Amino acid sequence: MDAGLAAVLGALAGSVATIGAAMTTGWAQREGVRITARAEHRKERREPRHGAYRDFIAVASRMNDHVAILTVSYESFPSERIDEAFSARCEEAADAVKEKWVEVALAGPKGIAETASKLERLGNALAFRVMGLRQYLSGERTASEDTLRGIRDRIATEAAEFEQALDQFVFRAQAALDDDGSVS
């Protein structure tokens, strides 16, 4: 090989290496910018989610505290406590859950929104059933003992489901807020 051809091949090899290095550097810079942008996006999403989750947990906990007494079995069900004031507080608590549920549903992600929706539905069902039970117990409506037993059992079941769903929501909310995006 003569010196001219060796010089051209050397220059060509140097050019290819320089182009390869430039492409690799460009790719690395794009990835770095993409990672930074994604982290910033997650940070921007985290703050509103944190507030929405905190507020939702607060109102759902109040609802749970209110209906926790109803998780007992039929034999120890506190029928004497199911008065108009109790029913009204239950309805107010369910309305507060519904109000905060909207914020959580919009903040996401999907798993959190699904659990919040379950809590909202259970809260409404509990408020409705407590109101109905109060009407039966006060004599506004009549029902057989079997019907009352069924309503009480359903209320106890739904109150226990509400508590479990609230625990699940808290764990999912913690996981969503801890997610740094490194595993996707």
Side-chain angles (χ1 to χ4, degrees):
M1 173 178 335
D2 68 4
L5 183 59
V8 170
L9 289 176
L12 181 61
S15 297
V16 168
T18 302
I19 291 171
M23 288 176 64
T24 301
T25 301
W27 175 81
Q29 287 176 343
R30 275 194 311 277
E31 281 301 305
V33 168
R34 195 173 126 263
I35 290 168
T36 302
R38 183 177 178 146
E40 189 62 31
H41 174 72
R42 285 187 180 277
K43 182 179 174 185
E44 289 174 7
R45 294 278 294 165
R46 185 185 187 283
E47 293 307 316
R49 282 181 176 173
H50 181 271
Y53 297 169
R54 181 191 61 237
D55 294 347
F56 185 76
I57 290 168
V59 296
S61 292
R62 271 185 253 134
M63 175 79 180
N64 188 57
D65 292 346
H66 186 67
V67 299
I69 193 170
L70 305 176
T71 61
V72 297
S73 67
Y74 178 78
E75 290 75 24
S76 56
F77 196 88
S79 297
E80 67 282 352
R81 295 198 55 193
I82 310 298
D83 58 9
E84 192 170 337
F86 183 89
S87 180
R89 285 191 308 273
C90 192
E91 190 173 348
E92 289 170 7
D95 288 345
V97 169
K98 182 181 212 101
E99 181 182 320
K100 295 300 179 183
W101 162 75
V102 173
E103 294 174 31
V104 171
L106 293 175
K110 185 179 179 182
I112 299 278
E114 288 170 349
T115 306
S117 294
K118 181 177 182 178
L119 284 163
E120 186 268 336
R121 284 191 306 275
L122 284 168
N124 283 337
L126 279 164
F128 179 76
R129 289 189 209 295
V130 166
M131 180 185 68
L133 180 61
R134 183 197 57 80
Q135 290 173 343
Y136 287 126
L137 294 173
S138 69
E140 294 175 36
R141 298 165 83 183
T142 59
S144 69
E145 187 61 30
D146 286 342
T147 301
L148 286 175
R149 179 184 297 271
I151 293 170
R152 290 173 178 162
D153 287 347
R154 188 68 191 140
I155 288 172
T157 299
E158 287 176 345
E161 287 176 21
F162 190 92
E163 184 175 17
Q164 291 170 353
L166 179 55
D167 289 343
Q168 184 181 34
F169 179 85
V170 170
F171 295 135
R172 285 186 172 187
Q174 288 171 339
L177 293 174
D178 287 344
D179 180 15
D180 65 358
S182 60
V183 179
S184 291

